[in-house]
Amino acid sequence: MIETILSEYASLPYSYANIQSEVVFDRTRDRYLWMDIGWDDDRRIHGCLVHIDLIDGKI
């Protein structure tokens, strides 16, 4: 469910800059990331929008 939701949101394109959304799934360690990477004019964009860890079955 987490992978589906993150993938759907990350697939929405940015309209104002050359920014790509990426999702990272580590199923072995139950870690999930949604990252934005790219450029907004001359400013580098590299950040984690969502970081989810499942610990003992809980978010």
Side-chain angles (χ1 to χ4, degrees):
M1 182 188 263
I2 292 170
E3 291 180 21
T4 302
I5 292 169
L6 289 181
S7 295
E8 287 179 13
Y9 276 100
S11 70
L12 300 173
Y14 278 85
S15 61
Y16 67 89
N18 185 21
I19 299 172
Q20 301 297 317
S21 292
E22 295 184 6
V23 288
V24 180
F25 304 137
D26 182 350
R27 294 178 186 106
T28 304
R29 294 179 184 88
D30 285 329
R31 292 185 177 151
Y32 305 89
L33 304 173
W34 170 14
M35 306 283 298
D36 274 351
I37 300 169
W39 292 92
D40 184 6
D41 292 325
D42 61 345
R43 190 174 139 233
R44 177 77 170 132
I45 304 296
H46 182 265
C48 180
L49 298 175
V50 176
H51 175 184
I52 297 172
D53 283 334
L54 295 181
I55 301 170
D56 296 327
K58 298 178 183 178
I59 294 179

